[in-house]
Amino acid sequence: MSNLTVVKVAVENTAYSFDMLFEYSVPDFLYDDVVPGKRVLVPFGNASKKRVGIVFSKELCCDTAKKLKKVDSVIDIKPLLTREMLKTSNFIHDMCFCTYFDACKLFLPHGLLLSVNVLYAINPDYEGILDEFELLVCEYLQNKKSFTKGELIVSACGLKNISFLDKMFDKGILLKNVDAQRKMNDATIKMVELLVQNDSSEVDKLTKKQKEVVNILSDVGIVSVKELCYFTGYSSAVISALENKNIIRTFDDEIFRKPYEYVEDVNTSPIILSDEQLKAYSGLYNLFNEEKANGALLYGVTGSGKTKVYLKLIDEALKTDKGIIVMIPEISLTPQMLSLFYSRYGDKVAVFHSALSLGQRLDEWKRVKNGDAKIAIGTRSAVFAPFDDIGLIVIDEEQEHTYKSEMSPRYNAKKVAQYRIGCHKGLLVLSSATPSIDTYTKAKKGIYSLFKLDKRYGKAVLPDVQLIDTTYQSDMILENISKQLADELKENYIQGKQSILLLNRRGYNTYAHCSECGTVSTCPNCSISLTYHIRNGRLMCHYCGYSVPFSKKCDNCNTESVKFSGSGTQKLEEELSQIVPDARILRMDTDTTSSRFSFEKNFKSFGEHKYDILVGTQMVAKGLDFSDVTLVGVLNIDQMLFNDDYKSGERAFDLITQVVGRSGRGEIPGKAYIQTSFPDSEIISMAKEQDYESFYNVELPMRKAMIYPPFCDLCVIGFTSDVEISTKRAANDFLNQLKIVHSKKYKNNDIIVLGPVTPRVAKLGGKFRERIIIKCKNSVEFRRMISELLKQFAKEKKYENVSVYADINPESVM
């Protein structure tokens, strides 16, 4: 070809400070195979070591003299990423200050990722003299029938590193090959197919057992070896003998590892909507049918039937054959939602969340990619479901902080959903009883269409909510439970109804301290107190997992004076067994839900009334629908009101409103009790009445006065290192550079800078932390300035042990 074919490639394992789309030339023999969205092996760096890359673009270059490294090989048969996925990866790269490859990886299940292995074998044509170590390597490889991983050779022969093998390759002693291997293989099952006619002469010569196998295959056609052996009662040796005689052939057929069992008989009955729901549905359906991208907020009180509205919308969206994504904020909400979706849509549903195995996640991804599943449901990772065409994205409980990733890439799933739906000209539906201030503001301004549901569905009514003043300890019969709430729990149990209690602290006691010197037992790795867990008798850190056996002896003054204070869900469980001794109590917190599918088992058991009282942290507060729950208790909520974060009021209102809304969702009216030492709190009073409008009207002016979102964007620059002084110096130096760069190049971008400040948890996992908070407008120019500063900082050798990151609009600034 007269022109040079050039591709731009995102290469793995590059540092953000020098990351870009790297250019490579395409050999003529690979021209047709190298296309955007495929993975390739490319030489990278001075040593030209092979790395995996993803092709972003391909074009002809007139400059044939341009010196570029060549693409080595193509890994994928078909593109893994569509043009829209590559555009979205570019969007994430720009918004989240991450590398191009890391942005692309979000679209790929971990099991599909590759590890590049350098393999070696003896060169049979080499005739030179070998030294002692070269002879050792060759003797080891003589026993190998194929190329062997360099790491295995180094380990077996006691070599220091793989560079010795490369020197042997340079001398011609060894042959070298590079292989990219998947981290998870496809699941397969061995199948059997008959190659001859049942009445052929070859069959006459077979044994009785072999003829019986042939007869079965003649009747049923292709079948698995496992099934064939089961039905005949014969071993696989009979199958092998037939294969050796060319009577049958065996082959591997791919199967999918199902995370859950699908419902065979799906419920296709029409969804009946109330007049209020029908009005909201009709508005959403009209937006869905428009030939442009749209966004809408479905805002309704708890129990108003928002799910029914968007299920009806999904029914219609399926008729268009476009992909549908439904996101829920936490794994704890998955069981009930999955049961609902499976019963209605069967195997059209694919699941995306972190509790699945690598193989299950890979297979669910493939089912969507192949078009076998049309609905992807899951936590925030579901936003990356590989649909070629997306018609509808629903984000349930849209206000939840879990839609924002706290790890790099620090993406916001709601922003990604908005971008993807814009590319496909589909509809984005945000659903909540307590929408985020930002989302509700956009709805008020008309950026999103607003649809309201003011009443509960059917005969259900909002619960009767009462406040219990716990200022005076005389009202408490136990540490966590007041006399009034205890009486209600007993009565609810007698009536055969269920109760939910929220205590947003796990463990038994929340901290241990010495009554003599006042020393609090703290984690050596994190600046946080240790929590006592009665089941294992240990003090544990809920941040890094550090634990130590409890001892009454104080490490500071050596007296036997260490005592407990505060209480968590373990202690509450114990107190409940004293108040209602015959009640069956289910506790759900991080400690009891660590095993796979524990949420599913626990919620299923509670739904089947195998338990009378559900105790838990905030994972029991939202999205759950149990018709027999007629009593909810909210305990020790006060600390949420006074956190040093601008969102503390919003979070407290949300949590109280949501958990209270779990009560009375059936035909029997429910009750809810909020225990608080601040019964006059405006936030608690508004949450008690489920009065979101009033809360919004109080909160918004405060945000405006303090210049917080939605009246600005926030960018947090975070610094971490093993050395406290280095962390502080790095933050101060970055601030100085920010002042210089802003005044010289970006002074038209108005910013307000706070800090550096030390976060509330100053030390985490052995790393000291500092932050700079910037109030800004999240513009292209602003992000360019921050990117420039991050790359400049990375070149400072004196801070090579300090990690720095930037996060736009994090869920917490402290």
Side-chain angles (χ1 to χ4, degrees), residues 2-4 6 60-66:
S2 57
N3 290 327
L4 183 69
V6 175
L60 293 177
C61 177
C62 297
D63 184 6
T64 55
K66 199 171 187 179

Side-chain angles (χ1 to χ4, degrees), residues 367-381:
R367 290 181 60 240
V368 171
K369 187 70 174 172
N370 297 340
D372 297 327
K374 287 298 180 182
I375 303 172
I377 182 171
T379 50
R380 65 171 177 258
S381 61

Side-chain angles (χ1 to χ4, degrees), residues 60-116:
L60 293 177
C61 177
C62 297
D63 184 6
T64 55
K66 199 171 187 179
K67 293 184 178 180
L68 296 174
K69 293 181 180 180
K70 294 182 180 181
V71 173
D72 184 81
S73 59
V74 180
I75 296 170
D76 303 305
I77 298 173
K78 296 180 180 179
L80 296 182
L81 303 184
T82 63
R83 195 167 298 278
E84 174 268 311
M85 294 175 197
L86 292 171
K87 283 179 64 179
T88 304
S89 298
N90 193 62
F91 168 77
I92 294 169
H93 164 268
D94 292 344
M95 295 293 289
C96 302
F97 307 103
C98 65
T99 67
Y100 283 101
F101 193 87
D102 284 343
C104 291
K105 273 171 59 177
L106 294 169
F107 281 97
L108 303 177
H110 193 77
L112 200 64
L113 300 181
L114 301 166
S115 57
V116 178

Side-chain angles (χ1 to χ4, degrees), residues 406-420:
E406 295 180 351
M407 303 294 289
S408 183
R410 292 177 167 81
Y411 68 92
N412 187 320
K414 290 193 289 184
K415 297 292 184 185
V416 176
Q418 189 174 355
Y419 186 85
R420 293 198 75 188

